[in-house]
Amino acid sequence: MKNLLNRLRGVERDVLESPPDADAPFYVAQADEIEIFRAAWTRRLPVMLKGPTGCGKTRFLEHMAHVLAKPLVTVACHEDLTSSDLVGRFLLEGEETVWQDGPLTRAVKEGAICYLDEIVEARTDTTVVIHPLTDHRRQLPLDKRARIIDAHDDFMLVISYNPGYQTVLKDLKPSTKQRFVGIHFDYPGELIEREIVARESGGLDPDRVERLVAAGRRARKLKDHGLEEATSTRALAYAGELMQAGLPPRTACRAAMIAPVTDDPELIQALEEIVAAHFPESDEETAAVHG
Amino acid sequence: MAEADDLVAIEEVLQQLERVSFVAHRDTRAALPAIREFGAVQARFWIETARDLFLHDREAGKSFLRHSARLAENSGVVEPWTGQAREFLQWVNSHYALEGFLAQVDRVWRAWGEVGEREWFAIGLRWCGRSLADARAYFETPFDRLDGGQGVSGLRSLIEPAERLFDERGLTLDCYLAGAPMARNMVGDAGLLSWARRGADLLVAGRSRGEAYFRMESEEGMRLLLEALPGYRARLHGRFLQLLLLAWLDAEIPLADGDWKPGEGRPMLETDGRRLYLPAVFDSRDEAIVAVQHGAAHLAFDSYAREHIESLFARAGMEHPPLDDHSRITWRPLFASFGEHMFRFQILFDLAEDLRVNGRLHFRIPGFLARLLQLAQRRELPKEPAGSYYRFALETYVGLREELRPLRGAGPSAEAGRAPHAPPGTLDHRLRGLLKPEATVLDAWEVAQELFADPAFPEIGIDQRKDAYLPGLSLNAARPVYPQRLRDGDLSDFRDVGDAYEEHRFVREKQEEAPEQAPEGAQKDPDADIQMPREETSGSGGRIGVGIPAPAQVAKRGVAWQPRSGGIPYPEWDYREQRMISDWVNLNERVLDEQAPGRAREILAEHAATLKRLTRGLEMQRPMRMAPLRRQMDGDELDTEAVIDFIADKRAGLSPKAFIYRRRAVRHRDTAVLVLADMSTSIMARHPGGEGKIVERVRSGLMLFAEAIDRIGDPCAISGFASKQRDQVHYYWLKDFTEPLDDAVRGRIAGISGRLASRMGAAIRHSVRAMQRVSSQHRLLLILSDGRPADYDDGGDARYLHEDTRMAMKEALDAGIHPFCITLDPSGEEYLPAIFGPGHYTIIDHVDELPRRLPEIYLRLRR
Ligand SMILES: Nc1ncnc2c1ncn2[C@@H]1O[C@H](COP(=O)(O)OP(=O)(O)OP(=O)(O)O)[C@@H](O)[C@H]1O
Ligand SMILES: [Mg+2]
């Protein structure tokens, strides 16, 4: 029941993910983001990850949490997310009422990294509760329980923020933004992106990886000309996976890179043209035969 | 006996003629022997007809005599055409028509036989009854132009609409025939009547406008026809093609409409170094793509680089390339030294230069060569002499592909395998040097000279010239060009550097000139493309994206400039001093005096379909759709989650409020919007990426916007601004927040026009002030612009008003108002991120899309 409710609320990964012993999640650094994050961590400063969708923000954080050996709590924010969803609520258990901590509260208490993904999507009253956590007080007020709790020494708050079209009306207040250390992400450079796609797709051959990444980079040029979200690294990785699963390259690209991002017929044509140029017909046939 | 009578009669007529005219007598005697062969009866009939015509009208008689011998010989009869010629006696001054008739009746006879000829004549005769000028036009038009290859039935179907419209609307055949045969080729018999009827309507509206329509000289006339042409209509796919250039070459090269017309040979792309001019149709989509990519490659790889072109001219012995009055290079002198072999050289030069740029383009666009080759192999080999060139080019590209394959190494070689029927490619050794990355157009010239010396390339004339080119490739010197700076493949900062103000003035002056030319006289020069700078007839000039470049304000000596005041004062940000200067700007709210209710109705009618579609989309966002509201005070059902919270809180000893219901209700979005439109002069210009003027699209956009927003019921206002120095910023309310959308508002929107410059900061500040009076939770300020903020007194320092606008934007944000900029300026990328911030602007590439996009963007923003 509890899990179901949480799922309904979108608190999907409302679990303290203790760092497993395995290798750190695969992440290739793009610039100095690792150093900045480490520095922020040593001072426990709240961090804001900025950047377009699918460029590796979440992966980065998973990687850092692992490297720092800290649990990570992720909350995907959405329109209906209330402050109770973050902080906690009373639940009925038999005749009793039991207070149940929300993900934020648990992270605060236990010293985890709490990642509020797409914070601007949440209601404004929700963002208010994080305020006292972001300054030197490092406190979380639990209004319903009339208590204020001090954050664990290892607690760290991270939010993601994707300035774009859809956020014009829902931008964070400048006063809120100022409380964070900002790390800027963008799509990785060509060589790095190839490495990522090769790995994430589960070993797509270098030739197709190279074409796929080249096509993706071309497609990105159409951003702001009708394409609101550029072709992401994630989309390229998906396309690679689909090819690995035996789909012909053009079909894979259409499914992973074009269909999800636009319905605009001219853009679709232009994107297909780009894909087709990198994966010419003859390859398609070869793939069909082999796949 | 009877024959003797006839002979006597003939003699009498001859004597009679001798008395009246020396010429008539002489000519009759000259023609008579040929007629006599058909017997005395016919000869008598003939000579009496000649006399009657002569006495009726000297010119008619002379015509008749002049043609007779030939007619008799060619048609093998005398009586039929003589009888028909007699019919002209019914009218005074019919000799022009008669002359036309006589000049071709024998050919008609031979082509269509007696019955066909009789019908051809009968139709003409009916026109004599209507108007002799029309009859003349009819008989003077070669009959095989009238029939469209369909014989008499083709003639009939061509003339029928004209007869009908003559009766209905008084449309003259003269006018109709100027375009009808060509129109029929494009729209077929079935479309002819509506094509002509449209023209007839225009004639009523204005004689010269209607005539231009029929002569296919006006856009109006062509548009309808081009829409019916088979092939890939580039104009409809402008945005797609532009997106391709953006993706492949990082280039925002404006596409404009070329002036190719059917009948002018293969449609080809042209460039003036700033834009690519597309013909109305290409054979296929693939050809359009190749053409656009190749055209852009010329710009990217420096075919028109000033440096190189100057060297070319220097070699030809000219110190500087001759420029026309737009500072464009004219090509003719460069080719002049080749005299009558000019076209031969031109083709070879283009071939070499095209190979050079395509060789480089291949590395940028995988698959380019493959597509070019596929097109070229699919097309039928043109007839000689063009065929020799075509074949040579084709083999060259096949060879090039072979050549380039190893160069690409293991990397993506994105070409299709060679088609099995393709000839083995040979890359001529003379061309090899062009593939080096450092080769330039100068090398192409050298190579062309070498090829020119080779007799394997036959002489070729202008008529076959276009056929020598592979599909998608075209005359590189078709238009005079603006010389470019060296780019070496980098087009990322390519801009349409036209000058809105200059061009706008140019357009306006032209309008005032009232183009009343006599077009019959102005024979179209078959070689206009390289003989002389082509007239900028497209007028598609206004570079949008610049304000008005003006020198700093210089007051006349001794007269102190007195800034106007009396309006609302606003401060302005001076980045040089890093401070606000208070009361610097004087803003006046003004009433727009133009009202165009009629146009408003037209706009709504024109966009009815779009509006309908929008309205349907709106239903999704409108109160109609119920969204579940959670945690309500009352409602239809319990919100389980809220109930649990409530009970739990209660048990825990809190006193929670009973927000435990859910209700299906309208989710009130509570957004107010103000659209602030740039109404400066630049919107009066034409947009290179669309038809007509920008202002037309702005009007439609605002109109659709108003209608759409009215339907969702959001508080909405629309205003415009223009400025002339800091003391005269005009702010026009087209609709304020309290005003309902009525015909007065519509009329105002339809009446806007551009004037003056765009001091955007002040206008934003004023808008913000107005929006502060609105209580909505979200307040959105949509700024519709077509270029950088600029004003007459910015002293050429573009940064000044940029910085001020950026500051005004920040003030808006601080006031809780969200600005968002929608621009038509393709170069908006350069400055909008700095002013509005990433994600706070969008660029509309294709002005024709504005009407549709404007409401859409708003709806998306408020989601
Ligand atoms: N630098 C990187 N190293 C490894 N993988 C990466 C990197 N960047 C992107 N990826 C791949 O892209 C995918 C998407 O990344 P991620 O989910 O972190 O994006 P995000 O920026 O969080 O997107 P969103 O804003 O949509 O949440 C990852 O699953 C991974 O496959
Ligand atoms: Mg060319």
Side-chain angles (χ1 to χ4, degrees):
Chain A
M1 173 77 172
K2 188 183 84 191
N3 282 339
L4 180 71
L5 273 185
N6 283 338
R7 184 144 319 137
L8 282 174
R9 291 181 206 128
V11 191
E12 275 156 27
R13 287 194 263 175
D14 176 13
V15 247
L16 289 182
E17 285 174 14
S18 309
D21 298 325
D23 290 343
F26 169 72
Y27 180 77
V28 191
Q30 301 176 16
D32 48 6
E33 69 267 27
I34 294 185
E35 289 80 64
I36 299 177
F37 193 89
R38 270 184 192 282
W41 162 255
T42 45
R43 310 296 308 185
R44 304 295 189 273
L45 295 175
V47 165
M48 168 180 352
L49 308 181
K50 291 176 75 166
T53 181
C55 68
K57 299 185 295 287
T58 307
R59 177 63 64 86
F60 167 72
L61 204 58
E62 285 166 359
H63 175 83
M64 289 312 296
H66 191 279
V67 169
L68 299 171
K70 291 297 153 212
L72 176 66
V73 177
T74 304
V75 181
C77 301
H78 57 86
E79 266 187 280
D80 283 329
L81 191 85
T82 63
S83 54
S84 303
D85 293 330
L86 278 183
V87 169
R89 51 169 44 94
F90 286 107
L91 292 181
L92 295 170
E93 252 171 43
E95 287 299 295
E96 303 281 292
T97 60
V98 191
W99 171 261
Q100 195 218 3
D101 283 338
L104 179 61
T105 311
R106 266 179 298 149
V108 165
K109 283 182 179 167
E110 295 170 31
I113 297 175
C114 182
Y115 180 37
L116 303 180
D117 201 358
E118 292 290 351
I119 181 99
V120 287
E121 291 295 334
R123 299 185 182 187
T124 32
D125 63 313
T126 315
T127 50
V128 174
V129 305
I130 64 170
H131 266 220
L133 277 172
T134 53
D135 53 32
H136 64 279
R137 288 174 288 175
R138 288 175 56 84
Q139 288 173 332
L140 178 66
L142 298 185
D143 289 342
K144 286 191 179 167
R145 303 188 70 190
R147 276 174 56 188
I148 290 179
I149 50 176
D150 290 320
H152 186 287
D153 275 350
D154 284 350
F155 169 76
M156 182 181 188
L157 183 65
V158 182
I159 64 172
S160 78
Y161 169 72
N162 180 5
Y165 218 118
Q166 57 281 47
T167 57
V168 171
L169 285 177
K170 306 190 217 167
D171 207 351
L172 287 179
K173 285 209 212 67
S175 59
T176 309
K177 285 196 241 176
Q178 270 176 27
R179 295 160 181 254
F180 291 84
V181 170
I183 303 182
H184 189 79
F185 285 75
D186 208 337
Y187 301 112
E190 187 157 17
L191 293 179
I192 296 184
E193 195 157 36
R194 279 188 206 157
E195 190 182 337
I196 296 169
V197 171
R199 166 85 179 241
E200 293 289 312
S201 62
L204 189 66
D205 59 281
D207 177 54
R208 277 191 286 176
V209 166
E210 194 181 323
R211 291 163 189 251
L212 185 54
V213 169
R217 296 172 67 80
R218 285 286 163 214
R220 254 164 228 167
K221 309 239 176 210
L222 300 181
K223 170 129 168 47
D224 284 336
H225 292 267
L227 202 57
E228 286 158 43
E229 292 294 350
T231 312
S232 67
T233 308
R234 183 198 338 248
L236 297 183
Y238 280 178
E241 278 187 68
L242 293 178
M243 287 183 214
Q244 276 300 79
L247 276 191
R250 289 187 184 185
T251 316
C253 291
R254 202 173 301 134
M257 291 164 55
I258 304 179
V261 290
T262 183
D263 299 316
D264 174 338
E266 278 138 344
L267 258 175
I268 292 177
Q269 275 192 58
L271 290 168
E272 293 201 329
E273 173 67 26
I274 293 169
V275 168
H278 288 91
F279 293 101
E281 210 69 62
S282 54
D283 285 30
E284 195 82 342
E285 286 152 20
T286 328
V289 174
H290 297 297
Chain B
M1 171 69 201
E3 177 166 349
D5 283 352
D6 289 332
L7 291 178
V8 170
I10 290 172
E11 266 324 299
E12 277 171 15
V13 175
L14 271 175
Q15 284 166 20
Q16 191 185 354
L17 284 174
E18 191 170 13
R19 280 195 302 278
V20 278
S21 158
F22 166 76
V23 176
H25 182 247
R26 182 197 63 196
D27 291 356
T28 309
R29 291 195 83 85
L32 195 55
I35 307 295
R36 283 288 291 270
E37 289 177 24
F38 293 84
V41 180
Q42 302 231 13
R44 177 177 173 185
F45 179 51
W46 174 82
I47 200 167
E48 283 170 358
T49 302
R51 176 201 56 200
D52 294 347
L53 281 169
F54 197 88
L55 294 178
H56 172 73
D57 176 340
R58 249 180 100 82
E59 293 303 319
K62 277 181 357 195
S63 275
F64 184 73
L65 290 170
R66 192 168 348 112
H67 291 287
S68 286
R70 189 193 84 248
L71 294 182
E73 185 183 340
N74 285 346
S75 62
V77 290
V78 168
E79 196 274 337
W81 50 264
T82 304
Q84 290 169 344
R86 275 196 86 80
E87 300 279 352
F88 288 84
L89 284 170
Q90 299 173 55
W91 296 282
V92 185
N93 269 333
S94 57
H95 66 266
Y96 287 117
L98 178 63
E99 168 67 25
F101 164 77
L102 294 168
Q104 55 177 337
V105 59
D106 51 337
R107 273 177 290 135
V108 180
W109 182 274
R110 278 161 72 157
W112 292 347
E114 181 173 356
V115 179
E117 188 276 336
R118 207 180 295 142
E119 180 156 2
W120 171 73
F121 171 74
I123 292 175
L125 202 66
R126 285 206 296 277
W127 280 103
C128 287
R130 296 187 183 99
S131 128
L132 286 172
D134 286 341
R136 174 183 177 183
Y138 176 83
F139 283 118
E140 284 183 352
T141 309
F143 73 100
D144 46 5
R145 248 195 98 210
L146 297 178
D147 78 339
Q150 305 295 307
V152 194
S153 71
L155 169 71
R156 216 179 287 138
S157 57
L158 185 81
I159 299 301
E160 244 161 32
E163 298 189 320
R164 197 158 146 188
L165 291 174
F166 181 88
D167 297 339
E168 282 176 22
R169 317 258 170 121
L171 173 65
T172 64
L173 185 68
D174 185 20
C175 203
Y176 174 81
L177 284 182
M182 192 202 276
R184 193 240 311 265
N185 288 343
M186 293 192 259
V187 297
D189 290 340
L192 211 45
L193 182 63
S194 67
W195 170 78
R197 185 168 283 142
R198 216 180 253 226
D201 290 344
L202 288 177
L203 269 174
V204 176
R207 179 112 218 126
S208 59
R209 183 168 164 207
E211 285 173 356
Y213 174 94
F214 281 108
R215 283 193 306 264
M216 309 212 167
E217 283 163 358
S218 67
E219 201 190 332
E220 256 166 342
M222 283 314 283
R223 194 182 313 153
L224 180 86
L225 291 172
L226 293 176
E227 273 163 19
L229 274 188
Y232 183 78
R233 244 175 296 294
R235 220 168 266 191
L236 293 182
H237 301 280
R239 173 150 175 267
F240 163 65
L241 296 170
Q242 213 152 19
L243 287 172
L244 288 186
L245 293 183
L246 203 64
W248 291 121
L249 291 154
D250 236 338
E252 305 204 23
I253 303 172
L255 303 180
D257 295 337
D259 41 21
W260 172 86
K261 282 181 205 158
E264 293 181 357
R266 260 180 52 196
M268 285 182 163
L269 176 137
E270 299 174 352
T271 183
D272 63 356
R274 284 187 182 167
R275 303 192 185 122
L276 301 181
Y277 293 87
L278 305 181
V281 291
F282 280 104
D283 271 5
S284 65
R285 178 175 183 271
D286 281 333
E287 181 168 351
I289 294 175
V290 167
V292 168
Q293 291 176 337
H294 172 78
H298 277 297
L299 302 178
F301 301 115
D302 299 318
S303 293
Y304 305 113
R306 180 187 300 275
E307 230 179 280
H308 297 328
I309 293 187
E310 283 182 354
S311 315
L312 271 187
F313 275 86
R315 282 186 205 190
M318 272 164 282
E319 202 172 330
H320 292 293
L323 301 179
D324 68 3
D325 48 7
H326 285 262
S327 304
R328 294 176 298 199
I329 290 175
T330 56
W331 296 104
R332 174 78 176 192
L334 201 55
F335 297 100
S337 61
F338 297 92
E340 60 194 27
H341 311 295
M342 185 165 72
F343 305 125
R344 187 164 169 264
F345 181 77
Q346 188 186 12
I347 296 169
L348 293 171
F349 179 37
D350 283 352
L351 193 149
E353 176 62 2
D354 285 353
L355 176 68
R356 185 185 72 82
V357 302
N358 286 341
R360 292 197 66 183
L361 189 62
H362 168 77
F363 290 97
R364 185 74 66 90
I365 307 182
F368 173 78
L369 278 187
R371 181 179 262 141
L372 172 63
L373 271 173
Q374 215 174 47
L375 282 170
Q377 283 165 346
R378 233 185 281 145
R379 179 165 295 172
E380 210 179 306
L381 195 68
K383 287 201 278 291
E384 287 303 316
S388 295
Y389 295 86
Y390 191 95
R391 201 175 324 105
F392 180 76
L394 181 54
E395 281 166 12
T396 298
Y397 281 100
V398 175
L400 172 66
R401 192 180 48 179
E402 306 289 308
E403 196 88 355
L404 287 174
R405 232 187 259 280
L407 275 179
R408 296 210 42 108
S413 111
E415 295 162 57
R418 172 140 60 92
H421 61 274
T426 38
L427 186 54
D428 195 293
H429 66 277
R430 291 168 290 190
L431 300 173
R432 214 160 277 273
L434 295 170
L435 299 181
K436 297 194 186 117
E438 67 274 12
T440 68
V441 66
L442 296 169
D443 299 291
W445 181 270
E446 305 269 289
V447 169
Q449 274 179 324
E450 207 181 333
L451 297 176
F452 186 69
D454 182 346
F457 298 103
E459 283 306 327
I460 187 164
I462 188 164
D463 290 339
Q464 303 101 31
R465 178 176 56 176
K466 279 183 160 185
D467 294 331
Y469 289 73
L470 296 188
L473 308 188
S474 50
L475 308 173
N476 293 336
R479 288 178 183 246
V481 299
Y482 297 98
Q484 303 289 303
R485 68 169 184 73
L486 275 179
R487 301 191 178 274
D488 195 25
D490 179 12
L491 281 180
S492 58
D493 65 343
F494 185 92
R495 292 284 167 250
D496 184 14
V497 287
D499 189 319
Y501 182 62
E502 278 294 312
E503 300 210 20
H504 174 60
R505 201 180 48 190
F506 179 64
V507 169
R508 204 174 41 206
E509 278 168 7
K510 280 194 94 166
Q511 279 166 354
E512 281 159 9
E513 267 168 31
E516 274 289 313
Q517 311 171 338
E520 285 115 282
Q523 269 289 329
K524 191 170 162 26
D525 185 339
D527 195 23
D529 48 354
I530 57 177
Q531 265 179 19
M532 58 178 91
R534 191 178 285 208
E535 253 258 289
E536 254 304 338
T537 45
S538 65
S540 58
R543 169 195 176 192
I544 59 161
V546 270
I548 295 168
Q553 159 76 29
V554 184
K556 282 202 199 84
R557 191 198 300 270
V559 183
W561 179 66
Q562 198 57 48
R564 296 175 201 226
S565 57
I568 308 166
Y570 279 102
E572 202 162 85
W573 171 255
D574 188 339
Y575 77 96
R576 294 162 298 208
E577 297 182 27
Q578 287 291 305
R579 71 178 181 98
M580 287 299 247
I581 310 173
S582 53
D583 297 348
W584 185 245
V585 172
N586 182 50
L587 179 143
N588 282 297
E589 286 193 355
R590 293 215 165 181
V591 193
L592 203 64
D593 31 19
E594 291 123 293
Q595 277 260 1
R599 195 188 292 143
R601 279 187 297 275
E602 272 169 35
I603 292 174
L604 287 174
E606 185 191 339
H607 294 279
T610 314
L611 190 58
K612 203 154 158 199
R613 201 154 28 79
L614 272 172
T615 310
R616 228 174 298 132
L618 287 173
E619 301 296 333
M620 316 276 288
Q621 291 211 359
R622 220 175 88 125
M624 304 300 291
R625 204 183 68 145
M626 303 293 217
L629 288 185
R630 297 176 47 198
R631 296 174 189 274
Q632 300 296 305
M633 259 313 235
D634 63 331
D636 325 313
E637 46 190 305
L638 286 172
D639 179 345
T640 324
E641 207 180 309
V643 171
I644 296 172
D645 278 356
F646 176 77
I647 299 174
D649 286 0
K650 194 124 186 151
R651 292 258 179 92
L654 304 176
S655 37
K657 297 225 170 69
F659 289 104
I660 52 168
Y661 292 97
R662 54 197 282 151
R663 181 158 42 116
R664 296 221 147 248
V666 175
R667 168 158 294 170
H668 197 53
R669 287 180 201 257
D670 198 24
T671 308
V673 58
L674 189 159
V675 183
L676 174 64
D678 179 341
M679 279 172 45
S680 61
T681 321
S682 50
I683 63 168
M684 299 310 283
R686 282 161 175 275
H687 188 291
E691 286 174 10
K693 292 179 179 170
I694 296 172
V695 67
E696 291 160 12
R697 299 301 179 280
V698 172
R699 287 179 196 135
S700 313
L702 293 177
M703 189 75 77
L704 285 193
F705 180 83
E707 294 289 339
I709 306 314
D710 193 53
R711 271 157 227 215
I712 14 177
D714 287 355
C716 151
I718 302 176
S719 63
F721 71 99
S723 66
K724 186 179 173 192
Q725 309 191 28
R726 64 180 175 89
D727 62 326
Q728 292 179 63
V729 177
H730 306 316
Y731 196 94
Y732 305 92
W733 281 111
L734 303 175
K735 171 185 180 315
D736 73 22
F737 282 106
T738 57
E739 212 169 352
L741 175 62
D742 56 17
D743 285 342
V745 170
R746 294 190 184 99
R748 252 176 264 149
I749 293 176
I752 63 169
S753 59
R755 75 280 318 273
L756 310 173
S758 49
R759 204 173 198 96
M760 198 182 275
I764 292 180
R765 290 188 181 95
H766 193 64
S767 305
V768 166
R769 190 178 286 183
M771 292 196 89
Q772 278 172 324
R773 294 193 291 266
V774 181
S775 63
S776 298
Q777 191 190 346
H778 297 305
R779 285 167 295 182
L780 187 65
L781 172 60
L782 279 184
I783 299 157
L784 177 59
S785 115
D786 72 333
R788 298 166 185 274
D791 205 346
Y792 296 88
D793 56 350
D794 59 15
D797 181 1
R799 189 165 160 207
Y800 175 82
L801 286 178
H802 275 204
E803 295 273 349
D804 174 59
T805 307
R806 194 167 65 89
M807 196 52 84
M809 146 93 187
K810 278 193 189 158
E811 293 162 35
L813 277 176
D814 289 344
I817 289 160
H818 299 274
F820 187 89
C821 178
I822 299 170
T823 190
L824 294 167
D825 180 1
S827 67
E829 204 79 63
E830 281 175 7
Y831 54 92
L832 291 174
I835 296 181
F836 290 94
H840 290 252
Y841 66 92
T842 190
I843 299 170
I844 296 188
D845 300 299
H846 214 254
V847 66
D848 295 346
E849 298 197 333
L850 178 67
R852 176 171 66 81
R853 291 284 306 277
L854 182 57
E856 273 179 16
I857 289 171
Y858 171 66
L859 295 176
R860 193 170 286 162
L861 285 171
R862 78 194 273 281
R863 207 159 46 190

